Amino acid sequence: MSAPVPYQHYDPTSQMLVTPEDPDAPARAARLRSLGVGSLPLPEFDAFARNLARILETPYAMVNFIDESRQYFAGLYATGQPGVELPPQEASSSRIMSKDHGWCPHVVVRKKALVLEDVCDYPRFAGNPVVDEMSIRSYLGAPLIDWNSGMALGTICVIDTDTRPWGRQGLEIIKAQAQEMVARLHEIERQGGI
């Protein structure tokens, strides 16, 4: 007969890494600098975000680039819906968010789309600061994979304050739109950067 195993307290949050480790961050930051992305709002990317929100019928959409320490919304569309206070679109400094907020850092590290119909259904993601601070309930995002390096440079995403059944169609749309943005980034590079 074996000795009884002592009772161990289980902490369900102990295995939940809020911000994923990101070994590609330095190389990504260098690549973004070479493209000229990440320091100024870009009207073309704002228009892309606006169109993405229209297609997926969401109040918010972003073109988000992630470096070593932050996220930068080079493209941002926010309807100004009550209860959610996203930064105004005019000031570039207000487009910066910590890497421990939101789910785009997870998309970049995974290099795969992320579909959260109700973030509260996923303990790993439900505790994210934007759930309480901004009342976000659903998220749909896809990585922007650089064709040359295979590295994820950032994401495009949409969010909503209500739960959303994104379905296969939503996933296909966000992935196709991500490819369009990557093609645009490569076109920008061919033209000598932003």
Side-chain angles (χ1 to χ4, degrees):
M1 179 176 222
S2 62
V5 176
Y7 172 76
Q8 295 178 346
H9 175 72
Y10 173 69
D11 178 3
T13 62
S14 66
Q15 300 299 315
M16 296 180 208
L17 184 61
V18 174
T19 305
E21 290 194 33
D22 186 1
D24 290 341
R28 179 183 321 105
R31 180 76 172 115
L32 291 171
R33 280 191 300 273
S34 75
L35 290 169
V37 173
S39 58
L40 296 172
L42 301 170
E44 175 184 352
F45 290 0
D46 283 344
F48 183 93
R50 185 180 318 104
N51 189 53
L52 184 62
R54 182 191 58 75
I55 292 169
L56 287 164
E57 300 176 350
T58 61
Y60 307 100
M62 295 108 190
V63 178
N64 187 11
F65 296 104
I66 300 172
D67 64 21
E68 294 116 327
S69 61
R70 67 183 186 147
Q71 303 178 66
Y72 181 76
F73 303 113
L76 175 63
Y77 175 77
T79 61
Q81 184 176 12
V84 177
E85 295 182 20
L86 283 179
Q89 290 174 249
E90 295 80 30
S92 64
S93 64
S94 65
R95 292 177 180 239
I96 296 170
M97 183 182 282
S98 170
K99 282 179 77 170
D100 65 350
H101 282 60
W103 301 278
C104 290
H106 294 272
V107 173
V108 165
V109 170
R110 292 165 27 120
K111 297 181 184 174
K112 294 181 181 177
L114 180 61
V115 179
L116 300 173
E117 294 181 350
D118 184 346
V119 298
C120 295
D121 287 345
Y122 302 89
R124 179 176 188 175
F125 298 117
N128 195 284
V130 298
V131 174
D132 291 331
E133 291 173 16
M134 298 169 59
S135 304
I136 302 303
R137 286 299 299 274
S138 59
Y139 171 92
L140 178 63
L144 301 172
I145 305 293
D146 183 31
W147 297 338
N148 297 328
S149 67
M151 181 178 4
L153 299 176
T155 68
I156 59 167
C157 69
V158 292
I159 57 175
D160 204 333
T161 57
D162 294 319
T163 58
R164 291 288 300 265
W166 302 110
R168 180 170 297 283
Q169 182 181 11
L171 179 60
E172 289 173 3
I173 289 169
I174 199 81
K175 289 166 75 175
Q177 291 293 304
Q179 285 300 309
E180 282 188 32
M181 176 52 68
V182 171
R184 180 61 189 127
L185 288 171
H186 283 275
E187 184 179 325
I188 287 169
E189 182 175 35
R190 282 190 299 277
Q191 295 171 352
I194 294 173

